[in-house]
Amino acid sequence: MQTKNIISVAAVVASFAGAALAGTPVKIVAPTPVPAPVATSSPLSGDIYAGYASNYTCRGIVASHSLTEGDGIIPASVDLNYKLDDCNSVVGAASCTFLISGHHMAGERDFSFHNETDFLFGWKNRDGLLKNLSTTLGWNLIHGGLLGNFARYDYNATWMSDEDVYIRNTHSVIQEFYLTLDYGLPGNWFAGVTMSYAFQGMTGWWFRPHVGYQAAICSDIDFVLSAGMSATSSYFDNKSLFMSNGSQAWWLKAELPVKLGAKNLSLVPFVSFNWAGEGALKANRGSDRGDKPYKNFGVVAGAGLVYSF
């Protein structure tokens, strides 16, 4: 039996050798390799932010102690980006600015200065209109804060006969559409502008152009320097003795984003130098009691933790 097996194996080998010598190709089937799993990235990304700032600031305008009855805020926000394709995304954000102390406007107990809450929703396009240009078109709802106090009051007065006073119920909501253009310039420079049109609470335009520069100090630390201003058009009544249109604020801001040991976590300390524009200066001059609602010049410092996913 063993001899027969040896003879059979020799015959098979001989047949292969004969075919090779005769020029007949021998087809050898190799095992099919198992493909490696392809990593798929989630279309959802975003940032979670929480921090501290030494003053409440609204679009570059620094509120004074007399307006907010206190200094210092705790900002918190969530920014989301859902990628539709290589160029388009749906974006959304929710943020809240908590006043550390003081919730009465200019110290008046009948007028509240609310914490500011913002909700944004929009569509974002990258490189579609122009290379290195990001375009975002969306809607913004603002409750409370400085802009909320600009909102025209809804008078739902109730007469309290026992106290001989009117209880005035007011809203502090502003809704607006916005268009943001961000453009990456050569040499680590960048520029952009946000144009907002308010249609509830206030009506009119607000513009916020800016320009900046970002450089890497080392692998974990960047330096960002930016400058900007804010201005209004048809936002305030030109006959008003309190506010007027035109420039509202100018600012210069320095940031130092630092990557921490934890993955996707950064610490961003900052300092900004803010100057009041003509509109804000008019409000300061028009104050009856001499208390300035805004700081003609203010230094705002703080830091925030950012988690990116």
Side-chain angles (χ1 to χ4, degrees):
M1 179 63 68
Q2 185 176 3
T3 304
K4 289 183 178 181
N5 290 339
I6 294 174
I7 294 174
S8 300
V9 173
V12 172
V13 173
S15 65
F16 272 100
L21 292 174
T24 304
V26 177
K27 184 177 180 181
I28 301 175
V29 180
T32 304
V34 179
V38 179
T40 58
S41 59
S42 172
L44 181 65
S45 61
D47 297 312
I48 300 174
Y49 176 91
Y52 167 83
S54 59
N55 287 90
Y56 170 75
T57 306
C58 177
R59 296 181 177 178
I61 304 174
V62 182
S64 70
H65 184 91
S66 63
L67 179 66
T68 59
E69 207 183 25
D71 294 322
I73 61 168
I74 298 176
S77 64
V78 176
D79 297 275
L80 300 176
N81 184 304
Y82 189 86
K83 186 176 180 180
L84 301 176
D85 54 38
D86 290 339
C87 294
N88 299 289
S89 302
V90 175
V91 295
S95 65
C96 189
T97 301
F98 302 94
L99 301 175
I100 291 178
S101 62
H103 288 76
H104 298 93
M105 188 167 64
E108 297 291 340
R109 298 297 170 180
D110 294 333
F111 296 91
S112 297
F113 195 101
H114 299 288
N115 294 326
E116 180 180 333
T117 305
D118 292 71
F119 297 96
L120 297 95
F121 182 79
W123 163 80
K124 185 174 185 177
N125 176 272
R126 294 177 181 270
D127 301 328
L129 302 178
L130 187 67
K131 185 67 175 177
N132 298 328
L133 176 66
S134 293
T135 305
T136 307
L137 179 65
W139 159 86
N140 186 19
L141 183 145
I142 306 163
H143 177 269
L146 182 60
L147 296 185
N149 281 287
F150 287 156
R152 296 188 178 95
Y153 291 129
D154 286 340
Y155 290 93
N156 298 316
T158 303
W159 179 255
M160 304 294 291
S161 57
D162 56 338
E163 298 179 4
D164 293 337
V165 294
Y166 274 106
I167 302 300
R168 185 172 63 182
N169 300 321
T170 64
H171 75 82
S172 58
V173 172
I174 286 181
Q175 292 193 71
E176 60 184 20
F177 297 116
Y178 70 92
L179 172 66
T180 297
L181 303 175
D182 290 311
Y183 188 69
L185 299 169
N188 297 328
W189 289 88
F190 59 88
V193 61
T194 296
M195 298 166 283
S196 305
Y197 179 77
F199 61 89
Q200 182 192 0
M202 295 291 289
T203 56
W205 294 91
W206 204 303
F207 305 93
R208 285 158 287 160
H210 69 273
V211 64
Y213 178 81
Q214 180 171 357
I217 297 178
C218 62
S219 60
D220 293 332
I221 303 176
D222 289 344
F223 174 73
V224 184
L225 182 67
S226 60
M229 63 92 64
S230 66
T232 56
S233 176
S234 303
Y235 200 86
F236 301 108
D237 185 357
N238 289 329
K239 298 179 181 180
S240 173
L241 296 176
F242 183 65
M243 293 292 289
S244 64
N245 289 305
S247 62
Q248 304 298 333
W250 306 80
W251 65 85
L252 179 67
K253 185 176 183 179
E255 300 171 272
L256 200 70
V258 180
K259 296 179 182 178
L260 301 180
K263 184 179 180 181
N264 301 332
L265 185 64
S266 299
L267 175 66
V268 186
F270 70 89
V271 60
S272 68
F273 305 93
N274 302 65
W275 294 265
E278 287 300 321
L281 290 175
K282 182 180 179 181
N284 287 341
R285 291 191 295 265
S287 179
D288 294 335
R289 300 187 308 176
D291 295 332
K292 297 178 180 180
Y294 313 123
K295 291 187 177 182
N296 291 347
F297 172 73
V299 179
V300 182
L305 283 173
V306 183
Y307 177 74
S308 303
F309 59 92

